[in-house]
Amino acid sequence: MATNRSRRLRKKLCVDEFQELGCELTLSFREGLTEAEADQFVEQFLRDAIDGNGLGYVGGEDYGFVCLAKRGSVSEEQRTQLEAWLKGRKELTEFNLSPLMDVWYPENPINQA
């Protein structure tokens, strides 16, 4: 694909100055967690950690992708707040929150602004 793109096309493709960042999330629940406890955790996670920070989540109970709820990028501060929220949860044995990465083209490096 051509590298000399118009601003309109760069915006449409979410590249260059319009790159959008997010992160992958993997959750491991503790053994013996009841279905009701798991459901309650997911509800709190979506309400407090995701919606409360202006984020969006795409995925299932144990794996998904965190992005901004509107057009744009997750900030390092939002990622850190999410990580802190997850660290305080007794329902999890561990979790893995990836570094920020390109939402649309994960193989591309992050643009330094």
Side-chain angles (χ1 to χ4, degrees):
M1 187 171 241
T3 56
N4 188 14
R5 300 179 184 122
S6 68
R7 176 180 165 81
R8 181 175 170 272
L9 186 56
R10 290 193 312 271
K11 185 174 182 179
K12 185 176 240 169
L13 294 173
C14 300
V15 296
D16 298 333
E17 71 269 32
F18 300 104
Q19 183 180 48
E20 296 180 352
L21 305 178
C23 50
E24 291 179 311
L25 175 63
T26 305
L27 303 172
S28 297
F29 291 96
R30 70 173 161 80
E31 205 168 311
L33 192 69
T34 67
E35 190 173 329
E37 290 173 320
D39 288 346
Q40 184 179 11
F41 168 82
V42 171
E43 286 177 23
Q44 290 173 350
F45 168 71
L46 293 173
R47 182 186 63 234
D48 301 338
I50 299 298
D51 291 342
N53 287 313
L55 302 173
Y57 180 77
V58 178
E61 278 185 8
D62 59 348
Y63 175 79
F65 201 86
V66 178
C67 54
L68 203 59
K70 56 185 179 184
R71 188 167 192 142
S73 294
V74 173
S75 69
E76 191 59 50
E77 180 182 343
Q78 288 170 311
R79 186 193 170 285
T80 302
Q81 289 171 345
L82 177 58
E83 186 174 32
W85 189 89
L86 290 167
K87 282 182 181 176
R89 302 307 301 198
K90 64 181 179 3
E91 298 91 346
L92 301 175
T93 56
E94 66 179 342
F95 67 91
N96 184 14
L97 188 61
S98 76
L100 292 176
M101 58 194 289
D102 190 309
V103 172
W104 301 103
Y105 310 98
E107 68 281 356
N108 288 355
I110 295 175
N111 294 335
Q112 302 302 320

